[in-house]
Amino acid sequence: MRTVRTIAELRAAVAARRVDGQSVGLVPTMGSFHAGHLSLMAAAREACDAVVVSLFVNPTQFGAGEDLDAYPRDQARDAELAAAAGVDLLFAPPVTEIYPDGFATAVTVRGITEVLCGDPDRRGPGHFDGVATVVTKLLNIVAPDVAYFGRKDAQQVAVIRRLVRDLDIPVRIEALATVREPDGLALSSRNAYLTAAERQRATALHRALVAAERAVAAGETASEPVLAAARAELDAAAIAPEYLELRDADDLTAVTAVTRPTLLAVAARVGRARLIDNTVLEPVPQPAAVPAAAGAPGEGAPTQ
Ligand code: PAF
């Protein structure tokens, strides 16, 4: 594996792989690799001839007072893990390479960035401007055939799918399943902030999702009972969610019933960590109505 720090070096290295028609997969990351990142790299390794991983803690997606300075960084360990995962190129630029002096452009995806994590009363859509801008830059720099993201950040995936469609970026977006600890806790670089006791409480996020899945599997479709089942698990762990919401799985519009695949998304602070998780609730198929048999007694069939 080669580590490159400039856009020019990366473009030259990718171009060298392209000469004989090799396919390129990109895994954008902010480092601090865990099994979730490694699953994205494994999928890229399986499907593509050349695998590029970007490692860049993107300052523009952190709001004021967020954990930009504290965000876990260990490039030496990350490089070892990426090499072991079969990555060909690790792109680890300094901030000035991505945002040189005078940088003045932002990519804004309207609508879906203004709910959930982008709600103006919470973090605001600025976080997603930062994500959309850096991902657009990475897609332009690497020009991959496929780019891989984790479904744990379902809103991020929706935003990236939208911008790729809207800006006609010729890339396939693959969103892979959330990787979890055996007790259900979704892997996240921010889990490193949790004390042992907080980590235990944080497992309630997954229990909340499972409780909602069970309610829907039992035939519940109305949003309030589904949300109440999830909320009960958070309450039991003394977690007050930033949000716990049902949304259309594609465009993130609010829904009041689970009548088609529906995203249940949760965000909560546990200790110093702001955690997110989600599941897609699949409604139980309703049996087709059986037409009344003609002439059956009591069905209003004409009597002779
Ligand atoms: O999910 C992340 O790690 C980041 O938001 C991403 C996509 C690498 C952009 O900085």
Side-chain angles (χ1 to χ4, degrees):
M1 186 185 78
R2 220 180 118 198
T3 299
V4 297
R5 306 214 177 262
T6 67
I7 294 169
E9 274 177 295
L10 182 74
R11 282 203 163 126
V14 171
R17 304 292 301 247
R18 286 280 192 201
V19 280
D20 47 0
Q22 293 191 17
S23 60
V24 176
L26 169 67
V27 182
T29 80
M30 298 207 300
S32 189
F33 295 156
H34 51 62
H37 298 109
L38 299 181
S39 76
L40 303 182
M41 294 178 208
R45 181 67 288 160
E46 172 94 21
C48 304
D49 299 316
V51 177
V52 181
V53 169
S54 63
L55 193 174
F56 180 65
V57 181
N58 175 34
T60 64
Q61 68 187 77
F62 289 78
E66 285 196 77
D67 57 343
L68 173 61
D69 294 335
Y71 197 82
R73 292 163 170 90
D74 188 346
Q75 265 201 31
R77 174 183 169 276
D78 284 348
E80 272 177 31
L81 290 171
V87 170
D88 299 297
L89 288 164
L90 184 67
F91 178 46
V95 172
T96 49
E97 184 70 8
I98 298 297
Y99 301 115
D101 274 354
F103 186 90
T105 300
V107 177
T108 296
V109 179
R110 288 189 293 269
I112 53 174
T113 57
E114 290 153 26
V115 298
L116 301 176
C117 288
D119 186 311
D121 295 334
R122 299 180 192 124
R123 283 167 118 184
H127 162 71
F128 287 111
D129 285 3
V131 171
T133 303
V134 81
V135 169
T136 303
K137 282 191 66 119
L138 291 168
L139 295 176
N140 281 337
I141 292 166
V142 180
D145 299 280
V146 195
Y148 295 83
F149 297 87
R151 271 193 233 140
K152 183 171 73 76
D153 197 335
Q155 189 172 14
Q156 172 169 279
V157 171
V159 168
I160 291 165
R161 287 196 193 283
R162 184 76 259 167
L163 81 85
V164 161
R165 274 200 300 272
D166 288 354
L167 300 181
D168 305 303
I169 301 178
V171 64
R172 192 173 90 235
I173 300 300
E174 285 285 341
L176 301 193
T178 302
V179 178
R180 299 181 180 280
E181 302 277 11
D183 60 9
L185 182 67
L187 295 191
S188 162
S189 304
R190 291 190 167 101
N191 291 351
Y193 301 154
L194 299 169
T195 63
E198 288 163 355
R199 196 207 158 287
Q200 183 49 41
R201 280 177 57 223
T203 57
L205 268 69
H206 180 243
R207 282 197 300 281
L209 301 178
V210 171
E213 283 167 359
R214 289 201 180 118
V216 171
E220 190 57 74
T221 56
S223 63
E224 214 15 75
V226 172
L227 290 172
R231 211 175 292 118
E233 293 294 339
L234 299 177
D235 288 350
I239 292 176
E242 231 174 62
Y243 62 75
L244 174 71
E245 290 181 25
L246 291 169
R247 298 252 159 200
D248 179 89
D250 292 321
D251 62 15
L252 304 187
T253 48
V255 298
T256 53
V258 183
T259 50
R260 57 200 152 128
T262 300
L263 181 75
L264 173 61
V266 60
R269 272 188 195 280
V270 182
R272 276 197 316 124
R274 182 180 178 281
L275 304 176
I276 56 173
D277 206 344
N278 68 79
T279 187
V280 174
L281 302 171
E282 304 278 351
V284 188
Q286 296 301 311
V290 183
E299 300 278 356
T303 48
Q304 297 295 322

